Amino acid sequence: MAAGTGLSPAVGVARTAISSKGVSEVILAWGVRSGSGVEGVSLIGDLFEEGKNSNVEVRISVYSTVSKVKAQELISENVTLQENEDEERESLEDHKNESTSRASPVRVNGRMDHSNVLLSNVPSSCQSLLVFVCGPRDFTTSAMRAIQ
């Protein structure tokens, strides 16, 4: 899970995981202020390619949030987040069922819900899991609470 420029270190961890023995899947959830231009980020394209070459499934979800929120907009945003929760789960589930050769991230409108990311991507039968979190303090605190 990464936010903003935390993508760079998260990709480094993902690359290490891809090249490690016993890793079958790498999932990256990235929160950004605006989702425009995400497809042009070379780190994402490179990560998909490395996974393909190593037979490791790589799934990337990009969560686009608003850049500035005023008090009145916060109420509207919270309502929108509630409405988007089912859409986020469906989007992640659809991506999970797609071919591993897909080389573009799934885009989700709204803030990342760390608990939903974990619930949607980690099966109950999971034997081993590494979660790397990088981003602003509030983001990492929220992610760590969800992980615990």
Side-chain angles (χ1 to χ4, degrees):
M1 291 183 227
T5 58
L7 176 66
S8 293
V11 167
V13 170
R15 283 183 168 150
T16 300
I18 289 170
S19 65
S20 299
K21 290 184 179 185
V23 174
S24 60
E25 184 176 30
V26 171
I27 301 164
L28 174 62
W30 179 34
V32 295
R33 295 262 185 230
S34 170
S36 61
V38 168
E39 286 81 10
V41 176
S42 62
L43 287 173
I44 290 175
D46 293 348
L47 194 58
F48 276 120
E49 190 63 30
E50 288 177 35
K52 184 177 164 185
N53 293 338
S54 300
N55 294 320
V56 173
E57 181 181 0
V58 174
R59 291 188 282 132
I60 300 174
S61 298
V62 178
Y63 296 79
S64 301
T65 61
V66 293
S67 57
K68 297 279 183 183
V69 179
K70 296 178 183 171
Q72 289 178 328
E73 293 171 341
L74 182 59
I75 294 167
S76 175
E77 182 183 3
N78 285 338
V79 170
T80 302
L81 287 175
Q82 284 296 104
E83 293 169 353
N84 286 343
E85 190 172 301
D86 289 336
E87 179 184 324
E88 174 183 343
R89 284 188 191 135
E90 289 172 12
S91 177
L92 288 170
E93 200 56 40
D94 288 346
H95 185 51
K96 198 174 188 178
N97 295 327
E98 290 176 358
S99 166
T100 59
S101 63
R102 181 179 174 150
S104 63
V106 170
R107 297 173 78 168
V108 181
N109 291 323
R111 294 182 191 272
M112 184 186 313
D113 180 325
H114 301 101
S115 295
N116 281 342
V117 169
L118 292 168
L119 289 172
S120 298
N121 290 294
V122 182
S124 58
S125 61
C126 182
Q127 296 291 318
S128 178
L129 176 69
L130 167 68
V131 179
F132 176 80
V133 179
C134 188
R137 178 171 288 155
D138 289 343
F139 176 87
T140 56
T141 301
S142 176
M144 294 307 292
R145 283 186 189 134
I147 292 165
Q148 292 171 347

